[in-house]
Amino acid sequence: MADLETLTPTRRARGGGGAARRAARTAVVIETEKYIERNIPNFEVLTEEALQIIEHNAETVLEEIGVNFPDNPRALDLWRAAGADIDGDRVRIPRGLARELIKTAPSKFTQHARNPEKNVEIGGNSMVLAPVYGPPFVRDLDGGRRYATMDDFNKIVKLTYMSKYLHHSGGTVCEPTDVAVNKRHLDMLYAHMTLTDKPFMGSVTAPERAQDSVNMCNILFGEDFVQENTVMTSLININSPMVFDDIMMGAMEVYAKNNQACIISPFIVGGAMAPVSVAGTLTQVLAEALAGIAYNQLVRPGAPVIMGAFVASIDMNSGAPTFGTPEASKILYGAGQLARRLNLPFRSGGSLCGSKLPDAQAAYETANTLNAALLGGVNFCLHAAGWLEGGLVSSLEKLVMDADQLGVLHSMAKGVDVSENAQALDAIREVGPGGHYLGCAHTQANFKNSFWRSDVLDYKPFETWADDGSKDTVELANAKVKKMLSDYVQPPIDPEIDEKLRAYVQARKDSEPDAFG
Amino acid sequence: MADLETLTPTRRARGGGGAARRAARTAVVIETEKYIERNIPNFEVLTEEALQIIEHNAETVLEEIGVNFPDNPRALDLWRAAGADIDGDRVRIPRGLARELIKTAPSKFTQHARNPEKNVEIGGNSMVLAPVYGPPFVRDLDGGRRYATMDDFNKIVKLTYMSKYLHHSGGTVCEPTDVAVNKRHLDMLYAHMTLTDKPFMGSVTAPERAQDSVNMCNILFGEDFVQENTVMTSLININSPMVFDDIMMGAMEVYAKNNQACIISPFIVGGAMAPVSVAGTLTQVLAEALAGIAYNQLVRPGAPVIMGAFVASIDMNSGAPTFGTPEASKILYGAGQLARRLNLPFRSGGSLCGSKLPDAQAAYETANTLNAALLGGVNFCLHAAGWLEGGLVSSLEKLVMDADQLGVLHSMAKGVDVSENAQALDAIREVGPGGHYLGCAHTQANFKNSFWRSDVLDYKPFETWADDGSKDTVELANAKVKKMLSDYVQPPIDPEIDEKLRAYVQARKDSEPDAFG
């Protein structure tokens, strides 16, 4: 940590007078809670017998059916050397081999932020919350639904920076469709590196873009620091069922070789990319995760890695993916149990919903998923805020609404205090039958920290609320979005580093023509 | 059960030609799921040490501080005879006495409906869902927020009857303010007895109204049947902190003497009627429940009883009660643990929210509470649908929205099937890497029952949804409310019984002048 304190640009920048003044000016506004450390048990839906059946079947899948690593001779060579049976692209993994290979993966790791106060621990009883990832559209009350641009991207990064309960800046918080496909990762990375001081994710859409991510981190953190520490956690989706495509694997290889963390995540719409049953889907999730994580460890033993499970159901009437469903929750709970038995950090959950609007449907589905994520032991929660319309849309208002609800998770995770003060026996004595607690000494001493309080939702008396325009949650959140963006002040960064980042981005942009689509 | 089949009016009515035709006509529309039987573990936030501290402190409260039974010489006599220390209205209960007295209460009981297919088991691993209780206002999209009338009451009873996932018709689903205070219970009971065939609650607003409830049940079920079976579950609130007011206790005495079930429920806004801390509130909840249930068992040992815990937090800025908060969830989970250690059925949870509208706030808060209710082991869930604005408003749309979400609880409660069919190994073999499950044999054989599907929420593609008017959840629910009310057909009832009920209501109405306020 001593190294980090002298190395990180934030610390250096804070020495400057202008930076110090800016820091003082923003001190009131920007508060980030520490990542969640659970002091409550995990909820477990699978019995020991069910776990053993699923684990046994997953090994059967790997051994008998196998997985595909197309167009990836590097992977096939590594697998062959490790003892797998190679047949074309197909890799059949003897029973127990993948499980043995993943033993080198750490059960917990630290992802460093440029502001070391915002480093996060991923694994064990921790829960780290990151915003929505991937939507090509954005929606807000003012502009409606539209293709996302870099301006929207920057807004979401700023809102995330300003959100107390989001610990992580995420990655592709929306797809900035106004920047060429082969260059937008550079602008996105620059935004995460300069508009916020929270940890972030790297690009995964091509191996060379992963390398750009590493190169830019070398500028931001210093090359030695990057090689010795995890400064990015990136999302490697498996092309379910059981295909590990070359582009994602290529990006993963870059990250693993550079000691950077990957989430190896089956991406499943149950009924389409996995069986319609919970047990069948969990079997496939486990088989895919075992194969992907084992390959990650073959590339670099000891590389930090997270077992992911992104699972939606399918609506058999419309074919649409559905979220916040009981089946998705059961799979989340079950996958968490399987990950813990592998001693791996676990990624799942989020503000998942299928609704087109940030309405009651969106909130029911989101709350169902977030409650399961907390109780199911999720360590890294991507999409924790702002997801809308099955992941097609990033909603500015929903980002702020969801981020506020994440406060509920923080408070739940603390469990129940049974200290003498919390027992409050003196208060019960003081007040007695028929009395009132509002004025008693215990209430006066404790009320400020006793109850979690929303910073978005309406708690007004009906008449006041009506006089204020009878606003619904989206309207309240819209005002909050505007206030946050107006209050936003960029966290200080060493101008020299900033200049080097800009130069890198420009040079890479100049090196090839724009590609779209 | 044989007795009931010959006794209940529904069965007899079904013998008639008109009734049979009506039954056939409605068979398609009206489907009621069996009450939930949990096949999943309970979530427990309190450690064994915490439980013991709270249990010890609750006994200290009963012994040292005591509880008040004002204006109730019957209660004081019973308590004195049982060994309590009486000082004015104050009853101090020696350590362990209340716990000993409640041992006669059953851990589980059946509440009978006039349609025996709709009987419910309360206790053990069951969960019974009943609608909102108590609001003086109603709200819908067409009429806005207004004082509730008997017409609204009837609509809510009908919607509840038509709702697949509501097992119970509830009680005061809204306050029909257009009927005199001293007479409205008669109309409400008549509605529950004739517009639906689900089980219901009795009146508690005066001992003589409780007696009316028993008398009307004697007409509906037969007097012998009522004395031998539970046909009502009624809500007895404790006036927290620690006051058992004479009116509520008077109603409870009527029910207990007639072998009818009571929910003995502390009604707490934490910070006002109980300490600001979770552990302190749980201590008071347990002390109050112990005293109330012990008194119930003193009145009639073996009377069916439910331990309740209705708990909201207080917003210390506005003084408003808040719902769906982490503190409320912790208290729900903890109170469930305490009830199970007493071997008593447990009541808590519901569609609780503080929002003025059925918007995202309402849904976040409701989903937080409903998830906790399921995982916290609630046996009787009052307010499970339709609650709005801190209980001031019954919302027709939210009733339908919430009732639909209760389907999520049903499916979650089933746990994970690990039968050979559910393991789906053959499906994984058939599809293989890169394949698609939609067409495979396992999917075709299982898809119909694999995924819970909402009957209210929107799963359409964006373009279809936009073409259909870009409706939000409330608009979708509004259409559903109208369709349900238009499809509604009254379940058949023996005309003779109906006539006797009408005559009873009329005679009682004629016996005294209207009272308002």
Side-chain angles (χ1 to χ4, degrees):
Chain A
M1 195 56 98
D3 271 3
L4 187 68
E5 285 181 10
T6 51
L7 269 175
T8 55
T10 305
R11 292 280 169 165
R12 274 191 267 162
R14 276 184 185 160
R21 276 193 303 278
R22 277 193 301 276
R25 181 146 48 93
T26 62
V28 190
V29 181
I30 302 158
E31 195 186 344
T32 301
E33 284 275 319
K34 198 183 166 202
Y35 55 86
I36 291 172
E37 291 175 283
R38 283 185 190 76
N39 189 33
I40 53 173
N42 293 308
F43 183 74
E44 312 211 311
V45 287
L46 298 179
T47 62
E48 176 63 28
E49 187 206 359
L51 286 161
Q52 287 182 13
I53 289 171
I54 290 165
E55 287 170 341
H56 179 85
N57 289 351
E59 295 283 357
T60 304
V61 168
L62 292 176
E63 183 168 46
E64 286 182 23
I65 306 168
V67 298
N68 281 7
F69 278 82
D71 308 316
N72 194 340
R74 309 172 304 281
L76 300 181
D77 286 347
L78 281 170
W79 274 118
R80 191 179 291 110
D85 172 53
I86 310 301
D87 176 12
D89 295 339
R90 185 71 58 94
V91 178
R92 290 191 178 79
I93 305 167
R95 188 171 291 275
L97 175 60
R99 190 170 287 269
E100 189 57 36
L101 288 171
I102 70 171
K103 284 186 179 162
T104 50
S107 60
K108 193 171 176 173
F109 63 90
T110 301
Q111 182 184 349
H112 294 265
R114 73 174 170 98
N115 177 354
E117 285 171 18
K118 299 189 180 170
N119 292 353
V120 292
E121 296 279 328
I122 299 176
N125 66 357
S126 82
M127 184 179 196
V128 173
L129 302 167
V132 58
Y133 188 105
F137 297 98
V138 293
R139 178 186 275 280
D140 62 16
L141 213 48
D142 306 291
R145 183 187 191 262
R146 59 197 186 270
Y147 275 105
T149 63
M150 200 58 217
D151 182 53
D152 297 311
F153 188 98
N154 289 340
K155 279 183 184 164
I156 296 175
V157 171
K158 290 175 183 177
L159 290 171
T160 299
Y161 171 65
M162 304 281 283
S163 291
K164 185 172 171 183
Y165 301 116
L166 284 168
H167 318 109
H168 199 285
S169 193
T172 310
V173 293
C174 62
E175 279 287 347
T177 58
D178 57 341
V179 184
V181 164
N182 58 336
K183 299 181 179 177
R184 61 177 67 149
H185 67 288
L186 299 161
D187 289 347
M188 293 194 274
L189 283 160
Y190 180 73
H192 283 303
M193 290 178 175
T194 58
L195 298 180
T196 180
D197 61 2
K198 294 183 180 181
F200 55 85
M201 304 170 81
S203 175
V204 295
T205 51
E208 62 273 21
R209 295 175 201 159
Q211 190 59 54
D212 280 332
S213 309
V214 173
N215 294 347
M216 288 177 73
C217 278
N218 286 342
I219 297 171
L220 183 66
F221 290 95
E223 195 168 338
D224 291 349
F225 190 84
V226 169
Q227 288 303 313
E228 284 160 29
N229 296 283
T230 300
V231 298
M232 283 180 287
T233 297
S234 304
L235 178 62
I236 305 297
N237 279 326
I238 297 164
N239 197 350
S240 301
M242 299 180 290
V243 176
F244 294 79
D245 80 59
D246 182 41
I247 288 173
M248 279 277 170
M249 288 304 106
M252 192 207 78
E253 290 157 17
V254 170
Y255 287 122
K257 281 177 189 157
N258 287 281
N259 201 31
Q260 299 307 306
C262 289
I263 306 165
I264 310 286
S265 210
F267 180 90
I268 289 177
V269 178
M273 286 104 108
V276 284
S277 63
V278 169
T281 297
L282 282 170
T283 300
Q284 187 182 308
V285 163
L286 180 59
E288 293 178 344
L290 281 169
I293 294 168
Y295 177 55
N296 174 277
Q297 296 297 304
L298 282 174
V299 172
R300 175 157 169 169
V305 66
I306 299 173
M307 173 174 153
F310 178 89
V311 180
S313 307
I314 194 169
D315 171 35
M316 287 293 181
N317 287 21
S318 66
T322 58
F323 302 89
T325 63
E327 294 76 29
S329 294
K330 285 183 214 178
I331 293 168
L332 188 161
Y333 286 125
Q337 289 180 262
L338 294 166
R340 287 191 290 280
R341 281 160 75 100
L342 292 171
N343 214 15
L344 290 173
F346 174 51
R347 171 258 162 148
S348 195
S351 59
L352 310 183
C353 64
S355 187
K356 313 296 183 289
L357 298 169
D359 59 0
Q361 173 174 353
Y364 284 128
E365 294 174 336
T366 291
N368 287 345
T369 311
L370 288 178
N371 276 286
L374 177 72
L375 303 188
V378 166
N379 298 116
F380 189 82
C381 186
L382 192 59
H383 311 302
W387 162 293
L388 198 65
E389 205 189 308
L392 284 175
V393 173
S394 294
S395 158
L396 300 193
E397 285 96 1
K398 187 159 181 284
L399 184 86
V400 165
M401 290 155 56
D402 293 336
D404 180 68
Q405 279 292 302
L406 298 177
V408 174
L409 307 193
H410 278 74
S411 178
M412 265 307 296
K414 284 179 188 153
V416 177
D417 177 8
V418 288
S419 65
E420 206 171 311
N421 178 57
Q423 290 177 42
L425 214 42
D426 284 345
I428 302 176
R429 280 197 189 92
E430 180 186 338
V431 171
H436 211 287
Y437 284 87
L438 277 179
C440 85
H442 182 265
T443 303
Q444 293 300 316
N446 291 281
F447 78 90
K448 276 186 189 155
N449 299 312
S450 290
F451 299 130
W452 173 78
R453 189 178 196 282
S454 165
D455 202 26
V456 173
L457 304 182
D458 160 63
Y459 294 149
K460 296 193 196 83
F462 175 78
E463 291 71 19
T464 318
W465 170 80
D467 289 346
D468 287 352
S470 301
K471 294 198 177 80
D472 71 7
T473 318
V474 184
E475 293 172 285
L476 295 172
N478 180 265
K480 176 99 178 154
V481 165
K482 286 172 179 159
K483 171 96 170 75
M484 287 168 82
L485 291 176
S486 140
D487 286 351
Y488 170 82
V489 178
Q490 187 169 4
I493 187 162
D494 185 331
E496 202 179 309
I497 288 174
D498 190 23
E499 188 44 52
K500 281 185 187 164
L501 289 171
R502 283 172 187 270
Y504 184 89
V505 168
Q506 197 55 51
R508 287 287 290 116
K509 282 190 172 181
D510 292 344
S511 73
E512 51 183 304
D514 284 0
F516 278 93
Chain B
M1 195 57 100
D3 271 3
L4 188 67
E5 286 181 11
T6 51
L7 270 174
T8 55
T10 305
R11 292 281 168 166
R12 271 191 270 163
R14 277 184 186 162
R21 277 193 303 278
R22 278 195 300 278
R25 182 146 47 92
T26 62
V28 190
V29 181
I30 301 157
E31 195 187 345
T32 301
E33 285 274 320
K34 199 186 166 201
Y35 55 85
I36 291 171
E37 291 175 282
R38 283 186 189 78
N39 190 30
I40 53 174
N42 293 308
F43 183 74
E44 311 211 311
V45 287
L46 297 179
T47 61
E48 176 64 28
E49 187 205 359
L51 287 161
Q52 287 182 15
I53 289 171
I54 290 164
E55 286 170 342
H56 179 86
N57 289 353
E59 295 283 356
T60 304
V61 168
L62 292 176
E63 183 169 46
E64 285 184 23
I65 306 167
V67 298
N68 280 7
F69 278 81
D71 309 315
N72 193 340
R74 312 172 301 282
L76 300 182
D77 286 347
L78 281 170
W79 274 118
R80 191 179 292 111
D85 173 52
I86 311 300
D87 176 12
D89 295 339
R90 186 71 60 96
V91 178
R92 289 190 179 81
I93 305 167
R95 188 171 292 274
L97 175 59
R99 190 170 287 268
E100 189 58 33
L101 289 170
I102 69 171
K103 284 186 178 161
T104 50
S107 60
K108 192 170 176 173
F109 63 91
T110 301
Q111 182 184 350
H112 294 265
R114 72 175 171 99
N115 177 355
E117 285 171 18
K118 297 189 181 171
N119 293 353
V120 293
E121 296 280 328
I122 300 176
N125 66 357
S126 83
M127 183 179 198
V128 174
L129 302 167
V132 58
Y133 186 106
F137 297 99
V138 293
R139 178 186 275 280
D140 62 15
L141 212 48
D142 306 290
R145 183 187 191 262
R146 58 196 186 272
Y147 275 105
T149 64
M150 200 59 216
D151 182 55
D152 298 311
F153 188 99
N154 289 341
K155 279 183 184 164
I156 297 175
V157 171
K158 290 175 184 177
L159 291 171
T160 299
Y161 171 65
M162 304 281 283
S163 292
K164 185 173 172 182
Y165 301 116
L166 285 167
H167 318 110
H168 199 284
S169 193
T172 309
V173 295
C174 62
E175 279 285 349
T177 58
D178 56 341
V179 184
V181 165
N182 58 335
K183 300 182 180 177
R184 61 177 67 147
H185 66 289
L186 299 161
D187 289 347
M188 293 194 275
L189 283 160
Y190 180 73
H192 284 302
M193 290 178 175
T194 58
L195 299 180
T196 179
D197 61 2
K198 295 184 179 181
F200 55 85
M201 305 170 81
S203 175
V204 295
T205 51
E208 62 274 20
R209 296 175 200 157
Q211 191 58 55
D212 281 331
S213 309
V214 172
N215 295 347
M216 289 176 72
C217 279
N218 287 343
I219 298 171
L220 183 65
F221 291 94
E223 195 169 336
D224 291 349
F225 190 83
V226 170
Q227 288 302 315
E228 283 160 29
N229 296 282
T230 300
V231 297
M232 283 180 286
T233 297
S234 304
L235 178 63
I236 305 297
N237 279 326
I238 297 164
N239 196 349
S240 302
M242 299 180 289
V243 176
F244 294 79
D245 81 59
D246 182 39
I247 288 172
M248 279 278 170
M249 288 305 106
M252 191 206 79
E253 290 156 18
V254 170
Y255 288 122
K257 281 176 190 158
N258 287 280
N259 200 33
Q260 298 306 307
C262 289
I263 306 165
I264 311 287
S265 209
F267 181 91
I268 288 176
V269 177
M273 286 104 107
V276 285
S277 62
V278 169
T281 297
L282 282 169
T283 300
Q284 187 182 308
V285 163
L286 180 58
E288 292 178 344
L290 281 170
I293 295 167
Y295 178 55
N296 175 277
Q297 295 298 303
L298 282 173
V299 172
R300 173 158 170 168
V305 66
I306 300 172
M307 172 174 153
F310 179 90
V311 180
S313 307
I314 194 169
D315 172 34
M316 287 293 184
N317 286 23
S318 66
T322 58
F323 302 90
T325 63
E327 294 75 29
S329 294
K330 285 183 215 178
I331 292 167
L332 188 162
Y333 286 124
Q337 290 180 261
L338 293 166
R340 287 190 290 280
R341 282 160 76 101
L342 292 170
N343 213 17
L344 290 173
F346 174 51
R347 171 257 162 150
S348 195
S351 59
L352 311 182
C353 63
S355 187
K356 313 296 183 290
L357 298 170
D359 58 359
Q361 172 174 355
Y364 284 129
E365 292 173 338
T366 291
N368 287 345
T369 311
L370 288 178
N371 277 285
L374 176 72
L375 302 188
V378 166
N379 299 116
F380 188 82
C381 186
L382 191 58
H383 312 301
W387 163 292
L388 198 66
E389 204 187 310
L392 284 175
V393 173
S394 294
S395 158
L396 300 194
E397 285 96 2
K398 187 158 180 283
L399 184 87
V400 165
M401 289 155 57
D402 293 337
D404 179 69
Q405 280 292 302
L406 298 177
V408 175
L409 307 192
H410 279 74
S411 178
M412 264 308 295
K414 285 181 187 151
V416 177
D417 176 8
V418 288
S419 65
E420 204 172 311
N421 178 58
Q423 290 177 41
L425 215 42
D426 284 345
I428 302 177
R429 280 197 188 94
E430 179 187 339
V431 171
H436 210 287
Y437 284 86
L438 277 181
C440 84
H442 182 266
T443 303
Q444 292 302 315
N446 291 281
F447 79 91
K448 276 186 188 154
N449 299 312
S450 291
F451 299 130
W452 174 79
R453 188 178 196 283
S454 165
D455 202 26
V456 173
L457 304 182
D458 160 64
Y459 295 150
K460 296 193 197 83
F462 175 77
E463 292 71 18
T464 318
W465 170 82
D467 288 346
D468 287 350
S470 301
K471 293 200 177 79
D472 72 7
T473 318
V474 184
E475 292 172 286
L476 295 172
N478 179 264
K480 176 100 179 153
V481 165
K482 286 172 179 161
K483 171 96 172 74
M484 288 168 82
L485 291 177
S486 140
D487 286 351
Y488 170 82
V489 178
Q490 187 170 4
I493 187 162
D494 184 332
E496 203 179 308
I497 287 175
D498 190 23
E499 189 42 52
K500 282 185 187 163
L501 289 171
R502 283 172 187 270
Y504 183 89
V505 168
Q506 198 55 53
R508 286 287 292 117
K509 282 190 171 180
D510 292 344
S511 72
E512 51 183 303
D514 284 1
F516 279 93

